[in-house]
Amino acid sequence: MNKMFSSSLRRLKMQSNFLKSSNFTNKLIKTIQYNFCSKPNTNNKDDAAEDSVLYKHHNSYAFEIMLNQPKRLNAIDYKMIKSILKRVQEWVPDNIDSSSDEESIKHKEDKIPKMVIMSGVGKAFCAGGDVASLYRQRSQTDGLKLNKNFFRYEYLLDYSITKMKPIQVSFWQGAIMGGGCGISVNSPIRIATENTVFAMPETAIGLFPDVGSTWVLPRIFNNNPSMGMYIGLSGDRIKGVDLAKCGYATHYVNLEKFEKLKQELISKSNSETTLETIREICNGYSDYIYTPTNFSYSKLDMINKVIKLDTLKDNFDRLKSLSETGNEHEKKWASTTLTNFNKFSPTSMCVTFEQIKRGATLKSIEEAFNIESQLINVFMENNDFFEGVRALLIDKDNSPKWEYKSIDEIKLDELIAKYFNKKDETNADLSDDE
């Protein structure tokens, strides 16, 4: 039994029991509104007729999890999270609850497939978590508990996926954002295509890049924390082959070959399937394969000039300076980025900066989820997230009234104490809340 994993899961459960001015800005707002704004359920008959997650046991060695809410671009909701979590925990070869005997554990391991494919039905892989529903249920009597539980189970799912025994292969068609990143970005094989669009736009809605981003962002872009910091703060989108060039995806495959690749992975899976045999098949279909030596990103030189891990205020100042003294391309990028930074939630910007700065020094993804569990607890108890969702997704006036007008109004020592150093004062309530 992996005692560290069992202990980490229990600790995570306890800690997370809370549980228009620029063209780029307009595009970002439209992206968020299109991808994160689900509509209330008005047709229960249709909902009942269509399972939101499909499971395909292709053979003894290949299993597929398909997100099946195409009209919502597979935005992941609470029931989907609980459903996938129940399945994934069958594949974690550890005695999580300390109650199973060795024979039952071995029996479970014998049924674990070699490979799990994660995909989405329709035009998108997953456009994020269903945050609009969190806004709507906030006004319910038990709204705070429901919202905290959404994130509690989402983080448990994301963390469990990193510990499951099968090799995960993620097929990223269309949008891959927010919660969609959480269930797939830690898989060793991540396949993008020409219509794939990645973003973590949480700072624009008063949140922070979560679902493991504390660990992922400082490392995934060729271990460049400045790049991860920029993506986390800006919500900038990365598309198509650029995802493989910068390392967020491991492979780029033309859409016409997407299904053929999947079918070959399934047909060739067997008792000898390993990460290397899966990678070899994917390499044969790929038009671009990421390696640390061929890393590239079009904005990297500009990012490295101004985005550093000193202070958020210094980053603002360097952006302002570059917008005035750089070449025309640098001026345009720096000016647009600075405008966006000033539009986003000042609280989210400060928390995200500290979060990713701390993330660069962590030793394990467990530590990252512990940090995020504490952060989301505080965010759910405050208003910026709900104000951001209201302004961008509900009323769509695109004019959020943040708690602070700028980062200059925030006392960083007080913010850090509130969000990062708060003692766990919640009482664990692990009862089923469905």
Side-chain angles (χ1 to χ4, degrees):
M1 179 183 73
N2 187 327
K3 291 183 179 179
M4 180 179 177
F5 175 48
S6 178
S7 174
S8 295
L9 268 180
R10 287 196 296 270
R11 184 183 178 197
L12 180 59
K13 286 182 179 180
M14 295 288 287
Q15 286 194 343
S16 57
N17 179 41
F18 39 71
L19 314 170
K20 287 180 196 163
S21 64
S22 74
N23 187 44
F24 174 77
T25 304
N26 289 334
K27 286 183 178 179
L28 180 61
I29 289 173
K30 289 179 181 178
T31 297
I32 295 170
Q33 290 175 340
Y34 183 64
N35 290 332
F36 288 88
C37 188
S38 70
K39 301 204 181 329
N41 293 329
T42 57
N43 191 334
N44 292 328
K45 182 179 180 180
D46 287 345
D47 291 337
E50 182 178 69
D51 292 331
S52 57
V53 184
L54 302 178
Y55 300 100
K56 281 194 175 182
H57 200 176
H58 292 289
N59 54 51
S60 297
Y61 312 103
F63 194 95
E64 185 171 5
I65 298 174
M66 294 180 290
L67 307 182
N68 189 36
Q69 292 280 13
K71 293 181 180 179
R72 290 170 28 197
L73 298 183
N74 295 319
I76 192 165
D77 60 27
Y78 180 73
K79 289 185 177 180
M80 295 167 72
I81 289 168
K82 290 291 291 290
S83 174
I84 302 171
L85 177 61
K86 183 177 180 180
R87 182 75 60 162
V88 167
Q89 287 188 333
E90 295 176 357
W91 300 328
V92 177
D94 297 271
N95 185 359
I96 295 175
D97 58 9
S98 301
S99 62
S100 303
D101 56 40
E102 291 185 7
E103 184 177 346
S104 62
I105 293 173
K106 186 179 185 307
H107 180 68
K108 181 179 74 171
E109 290 187 8
D110 289 341
K111 295 184 177 181
I112 295 176
K114 289 287 186 177
M115 175 183 66
V116 170
I117 293 172
M118 191 84 75
S119 64
V121 175
K123 296 180 179 180
F125 173 77
C126 177
D130 186 9
V131 296
S133 68
L134 302 182
Y135 177 89
R136 289 191 287 267
Q137 71 185 12
R138 186 194 189 194
S139 60
Q140 298 179 19
T141 303
D142 57 350
L144 180 60
K145 176 188 174 183
L146 292 173
N147 286 343
K148 288 180 177 181
N149 279 345
F150 173 89
F151 289 101
R152 174 182 66 161
Y153 283 106
E154 183 179 32
Y155 296 174
L156 283 172
L157 170 59
D158 299 338
Y159 181 52
S160 296
I161 286 174
T162 71
K163 299 299 179 181
M164 70 179 184
K165 194 169 183 180
I167 300 162
Q168 183 181 0
V169 180
S170 297
F171 278 81
W172 285 347
Q173 178 177 342
I176 163 70
M177 300 181 181
C181 300
I183 61 174
S184 63
V185 72
N186 288 295
S187 60
I189 303 292
R190 307 177 298 277
I191 306 168
T193 190
E194 52 260 46
N195 67 3
T196 309
V197 180
F198 156 81
M200 292 294 288
E202 282 78 8
T203 53
I205 58 170
L207 200 60
F208 64 97
D210 60 343
V211 295
S213 294
T214 309
W215 175 260
V216 171
L217 288 180
R219 292 168 179 79
I220 198 166
F221 299 104
N222 224 33
N223 289 305
N224 185 339
S226 293
M227 176 83 175
M229 181 70 78
Y230 169 73
I231 295 299
L233 291 173
S234 70
D236 202 356
R237 297 177 296 175
I238 307 176
K239 303 177 183 179
V241 69
D242 286 339
L243 283 162
K245 288 182 176 181
C246 74
Y248 203 85
T250 58
H251 297 76
Y252 174 80
V253 177
N254 284 336
L255 190 57
E256 63 183 15
K257 297 185 288 185
F258 232 47
E259 190 60 30
K260 292 179 182 177
L261 169 57
K262 184 192 293 186
Q263 292 308 314
E264 181 163 344
L265 287 171
I266 293 168
S267 65
K268 290 188 176 180
S269 61
N270 55 57
S271 61
E272 303 301 318
T273 292
T274 65
L275 176 57
E276 287 308 312
T277 61
I278 293 172
R279 184 178 285 125
E280 184 177 349
I281 293 172
C282 292
N283 289 352
Y285 280 82
S286 296
D287 299 281
Y288 194 95
I289 303 167
Y290 167 77
T291 66
T293 57
N294 67 3
F295 169 84
S296 66
Y297 186 63
S298 60
K299 302 172 185 176
L300 186 61
D301 288 342
M302 295 184 294
I303 291 170
N304 284 336
K305 277 186 179 181
V306 298
I307 305 298
K308 303 183 186 300
L309 305 188
D310 43 10
T311 71
L312 183 59
K313 181 65 166 59
D314 287 337
N315 281 270
F316 273 65
D317 291 342
R318 283 189 292 268
L319 278 169
K320 187 174 187 302
S321 176
L322 189 63
S323 71
E324 297 169 348
T325 62
N327 60 42
E328 289 306 308
H329 180 59
E330 290 173 334
K331 286 181 179 179
K332 182 178 180 180
W333 172 79
S335 177
T336 299
T337 301
L338 186 60
T339 297
N340 289 332
F341 279 12
N342 282 312
K343 283 180 174 289
F344 300 158
S345 161
T347 298
S348 292
M349 294 293 287
C350 290
V351 169
T352 298
F353 184 85
E354 180 69 19
Q355 165 204 0
I356 296 175
K357 185 176 179 178
R358 292 185 179 211
T361 68
L362 298 182
K363 303 299 182 184
S364 70
I365 197 169
E366 288 90 344
E367 294 177 280
F369 279 114
N370 285 333
I371 288 174
E372 292 176 12
S373 296
Q374 182 167 303
L375 293 179
I376 200 64
N377 187 18
V378 184
F379 270 90
M380 290 301 101
E381 293 171 356
N382 288 273
N383 194 56
D384 263 18
F385 167 67
F386 298 100
E387 173 60 14
V389 172
R390 180 207 64 76
L392 273 70
L393 306 183
I394 306 299
D395 297 338
K396 299 185 180 181
D397 57 39
N398 300 333
S399 299
K401 304 297 187 294
W402 305 123
E403 179 181 1
Y404 299 100
K405 294 181 179 179
S406 75
I407 64 169
D408 295 327
E409 293 185 0
I410 296 177
K411 295 180 180 179
L412 290 178
D413 56 344
E414 294 181 3
L415 176 133
I416 290 172
K418 179 178 180 179
Y419 284 86
F420 292 89
N421 298 337
K422 184 178 180 180
K423 294 181 180 179
D424 184 15
E425 298 171 349
T426 59
N427 293 317
D429 176 10
L430 303 181
S431 59
D432 194 351
D433 45 283
E434 290 187 49

